Amino acid sequence: MFTAAAESLLRQAREIQAEELKKFCSRVCQLLQEEDLGPDALDALRRLFLIVSATKYNRRLEKTCVDLLQTTLCSPSCPEPLQLLCAAVLREMSPSDSLSLSWEHVQNTWQLGLLASVLLAQGDQKLVRSVGQRVLKVLESRQPEGPSLRHLLPVMSKVASLAPDTLHEDQTNTLNKRLVDWLRYASIQQGVAHSSGGFFSMPRARQPGPVTEVDGAVATDFFTVLSTGQHFTEDQWLNVQAFSMLRTWLLHSGPGGPGTPDADDKSELEGSTLSVLSAASTASHLLPPQERLREKAFEYCQRLIEQSNRRALRKADSDLQKACLVEAVLVLDVLCRQDPSFLYRTLSCLRALHARLCGDPACVRALLPIARFFLTHGEATAVGAEAIYQHLFTRLPSEHFHSPMLAFEFIQFCRDSLPLFGRNLGILRMSFPNLFKFLAWNSPPLTSEFVALLPALLDAGTAVETLHLLLDLPCLTAALDLHLRSSQAASERPLWDVSLRTPGCLEALRDPQFQGLFQHLLRAKASGTPERLAPLHQLLQPLASCARVAQCAEAVPTLLQAFFSAVTQFADGALASQLALLLLERSDSLYQVPGYEARVHRVLSAQFLALCKLHPSLVVERAKELLEFVGSAGGLRGSGRVLTSVVWAIGEYLSVSWDRRCTVEQINKFFEALEALLFEVTQLRPSVTLPKCPPQIITALMTTLTKLASRSQDLIPRVSLFLSKMRTLAQSTAASSVHSEEDAGAICTRATELLNLLKMPSVAQFVLTPSGEVSEPRYHRDANTALPLALRTVSRLVEREAGLLPG
């Protein structure tokens, strides 16, 4: 979250124009050419970096400016902060054709690391290999008093990930040996403080003491990144850097990497006792460099797990413990994938770690890589693994849904682990109510992640319940908000807390009458029996104006579209029919967040038509429910989009050509219901209970009535009379108080077209109920009524020959 001042600076950086940037570059050039590069040059470079990094497209700098940045970066006398900023600006400009960096005479490893970072940012594989070879030569040097190597290890890690085939087998082995030394044999004595050389400096400084653990105890084992001290030696810094690049390097040099023995050579030993005994009995120093690195990496990770159990004296060390624990488990996962002999030594360690972390709320993020480990290694970890998954999906989302970092990492874990779930996919699917808590509380950053995850959560058994929960997602956000508020005392809540003004919400949370509904909404697993939550909608209405609830409501339409895109891939007729009815039921039973209903109706209306198109027979099968929906006043709620879609679907699919079970009696029943509805909505005095009817509903009703009459021709005189009245009504002056001139004109035009069409019943049936061969494809389709172009063509023909026709 940026401060107001930072936001202002970013806005200025984004809005700066090319001419202003050119002038500013001239100013930077003047400052960089001065002999004394002081604070003004530093400030100018900071501003230049902000300008080139604040936008997602590349800024063009003057060649003179780029050349001076390179010269300053390569200057041995330039202060380090200025070199750092020059490198940062040049990286942001990458890839660039105007770079001409040379490092032939650069000896300073700090400077070499900065140059390498700029060259790697170019993305040129040839440059990447060149950088890798140059850095490796420096790393191979063994001069104890030579330049510091710690600035080059991050570069080597980047090279390994960008171009794994850069190094030859002997080079890989050399670096493996150096990593072993740095990881396992760093000094356990603290570094010496650099003397300032002043008058009061002590000629006989006290000898440095041993490094300590995070709890203050003297370290009795080898140095790791969790060892603490006042000052550190060079090899201790290299230890930290080596661990930070260890996982990337293992992945590079493991199976599939250069210089690696064929992994199939060990496949027969996987999971066997022989493999374990063989690894345990082999002397570490006799192993090949790669195997020895793995062994030392395993020891290092086990030591980190032991150190993470200590109570840190400082918060910074506590945070570092958690980060190192996650990384240690990830490294162990890589080791076990590359060499199964580590697997059985790791399992007992991770099971004990999991049991410990389950009782520590501060370490919940470390549970994700542990679960990933058990998923990755499948059958070998089957014993006890299901309990780990159950805990992960049951307790974590319920207790930590309000942690944004955990929410993102949890959903990422679910997405990345989908290929690994296998028979455990059912646990993931049944836990979707818990996963939706993360979504409800953190909807803006998680919406795109859930759109990608949603298809994996859906099957025929959970689709209906998932749709209910999606529609109730803003209500779930309000319930979670209330749940958090209830855990605080009134004196601890801020004065602007809604629950202080409406204490009824908090009281209802504990009311036995509503507890069942709250428990259902906050359930951890799929129940299979959706509950009607309308009472909660009313109860939680005071929270509907909360910003978090409003943000969640904005995400629901996108999630609904993703849901239907996935569910239509496997939905059969029964499920499609069930979902279509659910859309109608829920269209007037939504949590009332401002603007939410209109946005959801827009999606529901389109998806109802999609379901009908997928399974046209559901109109006949659900005739009773559709009649009830048409007859209810709720259909006119909002913009009437859902009602328009239902009316259109009736006119399109209530036909023998779509379903042989369609009868004349059904057609007549629908005709009477729609005729009564059209008469009701065209009254010229809208009231509170009967809102103004959109013209789209009127034209859809007229068209559907005409379609039904063409299929039961006894109804033609009746609908013709009604259409004549509609045309007269639309042309009257009284209509101007309800509809605009354009809307009234559209109603009048549609009524005239349909009347002319009905003058030729056989043509009307052909146009309004075409056969399958004619209707697919329809090259001309009206978005509201789906009438083919033939309707207008016939209308013009009828008007031209009106004198020859009766009426």
Side-chain angles (χ1 to χ4, degrees):
M1 199 72 179
F2 291 114
T3 63
E7 286 281 4
S8 175
L9 286 173
L10 279 172
R11 194 181 313 109
Q12 291 174 26
R14 291 186 183 116
E15 293 174 356
I16 191 170
Q17 299 300 312
E19 193 61 35
E20 296 175 89
L21 180 59
K22 186 176 179 180
K23 291 179 182 177
F24 184 67
C25 283
S26 300
R27 166 73 176 151
V28 171
C29 291
Q30 289 176 0
L31 291 170
L32 291 180
Q33 288 172 327
E34 293 178 0
E35 289 187 13
D36 182 19
L37 297 176
D40 290 343
L42 191 65
D43 183 61
L45 284 176
R46 283 188 185 130
R47 291 185 60 193
L48 182 61
F49 173 68
L50 181 64
I51 291 169
V52 297
S53 63
T55 58
K56 60 185 177 182
Y57 55 89
N58 284 344
R59 294 277 198 180
R60 294 185 63 85
L61 301 184
E62 294 293 316
K63 187 177 185 307
T64 308
C65 183
V66 175
D67 291 341
L68 275 170
L69 289 171
Q70 295 180 84
T71 303
T72 306
L73 175 59
C74 297
S75 171
S77 60
C78 178
E80 287 185 356
L82 286 173
Q83 289 180 323
L84 189 66
L85 283 168
C86 288
V89 172
L90 291 171
R91 281 198 302 271
E92 285 295 328
M93 299 294 296
S94 302
S96 172
D97 297 330
S98 55
L99 280 184
S100 57
L101 289 171
S102 173
W103 57 10
E104 296 302 323
H105 305 291
V106 176
Q107 298 299 322
N108 186 305
T109 54
W110 155 270
Q111 203 172 8
L112 189 60
L114 290 179
L115 284 169
S117 71
V118 174
L119 293 172
L120 290 179
Q122 300 304 303
D124 185 339
Q125 288 292 306
K126 187 176 178 181
L127 266 179
V128 171
R129 291 186 177 87
S130 173
V131 169
Q133 293 298 324
R134 176 75 170 88
V135 170
L136 193 65
K137 284 182 182 178
V138 181
L139 290 176
E140 286 175 340
S141 64
R142 285 185 172 272
Q143 296 87 354
E145 301 300 326
S148 170
L149 303 180
R150 58 178 142 139
H151 307 299
L152 300 182
L153 279 183
V155 177
M156 203 65 237
S157 176
K158 188 72 173 175
V159 169
S161 61
L162 290 176
D165 58 341
T166 299
L167 306 183
H168 305 300
E169 183 177 353
D170 56 336
Q171 294 175 319
T172 301
N173 288 336
T174 300
L175 192 50
N176 283 337
K177 293 174 183 177
R178 299 304 306 272
L179 288 171
V180 166
D181 291 340
W182 294 327
L183 284 172
R184 189 62 179 82
Y185 303 112
S187 170
I188 57 172
Q189 295 295 314
Q190 295 188 38
V192 179
H194 294 289
S195 173
S196 62
F199 179 78
F200 293 102
S201 62
M202 297 177 62
R204 289 191 171 187
R206 190 173 56 183
Q207 288 296 318
V211 294
T212 58
E213 304 288 2
V214 290
D215 59 359
V218 174
T220 57
D221 209 337
F222 62 89
F223 182 92
T224 72
V225 66
L226 285 178
S227 300
T228 62
Q230 293 295 320
H231 305 282
F232 295 103
T233 62
E234 180 64 22
D235 63 345
Q236 288 168 352
W237 283 116
L238 286 167
N239 177 285
V240 174
Q241 291 280 13
F243 177 67
S244 71
M245 69 170 284
L246 181 59
R247 182 156 55 102
T248 301
W249 179 256
L250 287 172
L251 289 169
H252 153 70
S253 61
T260 304
D262 191 350
D264 291 338
D265 294 344
K266 293 187 236 175
S267 60
E268 295 179 2
L269 300 179
E270 182 169 350
S272 68
T273 307
L274 177 61
S275 172
V276 179
L277 294 175
S278 172
S281 62
T282 304
S284 174
H285 64 278
L286 297 178
L287 292 171
Q290 187 180 76
E291 299 297 322
R292 191 159 182 249
L293 174 61
R294 289 177 187 160
E295 189 66 37
K296 297 307 176 184
F298 181 79
E299 293 175 9
Y300 196 101
C301 291
Q302 290 216 308
R303 169 126 167 83
L304 286 179
I305 291 172
E306 179 271 322
Q307 287 178 298
S308 70
N309 198 24
R310 296 175 178 269
R311 186 179 295 276
L313 300 179
R314 298 182 303 168
K315 184 181 183 302
D317 289 338
S318 177
D319 293 339
L320 184 61
Q321 278 180 304
K322 297 165 195 164
C324 290
L325 195 56
V326 170
E327 185 65 17
V329 175
L330 292 173
V331 170
L332 287 173
D333 185 28
V334 174
L335 291 173
C336 291
R337 276 187 277 145
Q338 293 182 349
D339 186 348
S341 68
F342 290 109
L343 185 56
Y344 290 92
R345 287 190 280 170
T346 305
L347 281 178
S348 59
C349 171
L350 290 189
R351 285 199 177 103
L353 177 63
H354 181 268
R356 172 163 66 87
L357 295 183
C358 284
D360 188 354
C363 294
V364 289
R365 288 171 61 191
L367 293 173
L368 295 176
I370 294 176
R372 173 73 184 228
F373 179 93
F374 281 85
L375 281 172
T376 301
H377 299 286
E379 295 299 326
T381 63
V383 180
E386 188 169 340
I388 291 175
Y389 309 145
Q390 290 288 0
H391 175 271
L392 186 75
F393 288 107
T394 303
R395 287 188 55 187
L396 257 66
S398 294
E399 297 173 3
H400 303 281
F401 62 86
H402 47 82
S403 169
M405 186 64 73
L406 177 65
F408 182 78
E409 289 180 356
F410 199 105
I411 301 307
Q412 279 284 76
F413 160 78
C414 292
R415 283 190 61 190
D416 296 342
S417 303
L418 283 177
L420 304 174
F421 273 105
R423 66 181 185 180
N424 295 301
L425 187 59
I427 297 177
L428 177 67
R429 284 178 172 166
M430 292 301 291
S431 303
F432 76 84
N434 244 4
L435 297 180
F436 275 33
K437 291 173 186 173
F438 283 133
L439 175 62
W441 196 257
N442 307 277
S443 53
L446 288 188
T447 300
S448 60
E449 299 296 320
F450 258 89
V451 166
L453 180 62
L454 202 53
L457 300 178
L458 293 172
D459 61 15
T462 60
V464 171
E465 193 175 350
T466 303
L467 181 54
H468 271 291
L469 194 51
L470 278 174
L471 293 171
D472 286 322
L473 206 60
C475 188
L476 175 60
T477 307
L480 291 172
D481 194 334
L482 194 62
H483 179 70
L484 276 186
R485 295 171 196 265
S486 67
S487 63
Q488 299 173 320
S491 59
E492 297 175 350
R493 296 197 297 273
L495 294 175
W496 56 86
D497 192 332
V498 178
S499 60
L500 290 174
R501 300 195 301 270
T502 55
C505 288
L506 288 173
E507 292 170 5
L509 190 61
R510 294 179 283 270
D511 189 338
Q513 180 183 353
F514 298 107
Q515 263 188 354
L517 292 178
F518 273 113
Q519 287 172 1
H520 175 76
L521 185 57
L522 299 174
R523 65 196 183 278
K525 292 185 178 181
S527 64
T529 54
E531 295 278 346
R532 297 185 180 276
L533 301 178
L536 285 190
H537 295 171
Q538 295 293 327
L539 193 65
L540 297 174
Q541 195 57 43
L543 297 174
S545 58
C546 292
R548 194 177 296 276
V549 175
Q551 283 183 329
C552 179
E554 290 177 0
V556 171
T558 302
L559 294 163
L560 286 174
Q561 290 173 340
F563 170 86
F564 282 105
S565 295
V567 85
T568 50
Q569 301 299 315
F570 61 81
D572 57 10
L575 180 57
S577 177
Q578 204 174 356
L579 292 173
L581 281 187
L582 194 156
L583 296 185
L584 302 185
E585 291 170 8
R586 293 302 309 270
S587 63
D588 63 346
S589 180
L590 297 171
Y591 188 47
Q592 293 301 299
V593 180
Y596 177 59
E597 189 176 69
R599 292 193 295 268
V600 170
H601 278 185
R602 190 176 296 114
V603 179
L604 296 188
S605 60
Q607 296 304 328
F608 180 82
L609 294 179
L611 289 172
C612 290
K613 183 177 181 180
L614 192 64
H615 297 282
S617 59
L618 72 82
V619 173
V620 172
E621 291 170 355
R622 296 296 184 176
K624 179 182 176 183
E625 291 84 354
L626 291 176
L627 279 169
E628 289 175 357
F629 180 80
V630 167
S632 67
L636 286 179
R637 194 165 179 175
S639 63
R641 287 178 179 274
V642 178
L643 179 61
T644 304
S645 296
V646 171
V647 170
W648 186 93
I650 292 169
E652 185 76 0
Y653 299 114
L654 189 67
S655 168
V656 179
S657 60
W658 289 110
D659 193 326
R660 294 291 178 186
R661 295 170 293 177
C662 179
T663 63
V664 173
E665 182 184 0
Q666 278 183 324
I667 292 174
N668 290 340
K669 281 184 179 179
F670 272 102
F671 183 91
E672 290 173 1
L674 294 174
E675 184 184 43
L677 179 61
L678 181 57
F679 178 78
E680 187 178 5
V681 301
T682 51
Q683 299 303 301
L684 295 181
R685 292 183 180 178
S687 64
V688 176
T689 57
L690 185 65
K692 173 185 172 182
C693 180
Q696 292 86 350
I697 294 182
I698 295 175
T699 55
L701 282 166
M702 291 191 302
T703 304
T704 296
L705 285 172
T706 307
K707 287 181 178 181
L708 297 181
S710 71
R711 296 164 200 165
S712 178
Q713 298 197 359
D714 292 343
L715 300 172
I716 289 180
R718 194 165 156 183
V719 76
S720 296
L721 179 62
F722 205 100
L723 290 172
S724 298
K725 290 181 179 179
M726 287 300 305
R727 182 171 59 181
T728 304
L729 190 64
Q731 292 172 334
S732 67
T733 54
S736 59
S737 63
V738 180
H739 300 292
S740 66
E741 183 178 349
E742 184 181 354
D743 291 344
I747 294 171
C748 182
T749 301
R750 179 55 51 85
T752 303
E753 290 175 344
L754 295 172
L755 271 172
N756 289 334
L757 192 57
L758 286 175
K759 291 176 181 179
M760 295 186 292
S762 57
V763 174
Q765 189 168 13
F766 166 77
V767 172
L768 300 172
T769 312
S771 62
E773 294 80 9
V774 175
S775 62
E776 292 295 339
R778 288 186 178 176
Y779 296 105
H780 306 281
R781 182 185 289 272
D782 184 282
N784 292 322
T785 63
L787 285 177
L789 185 64
L791 188 151
R792 297 186 186 280
T793 306
V794 171
S795 179
R796 291 193 191 97
L797 287 173
V798 170
E799 289 170 353
R800 192 174 298 168
E801 304 295 335
L804 303 176
L805 294 171

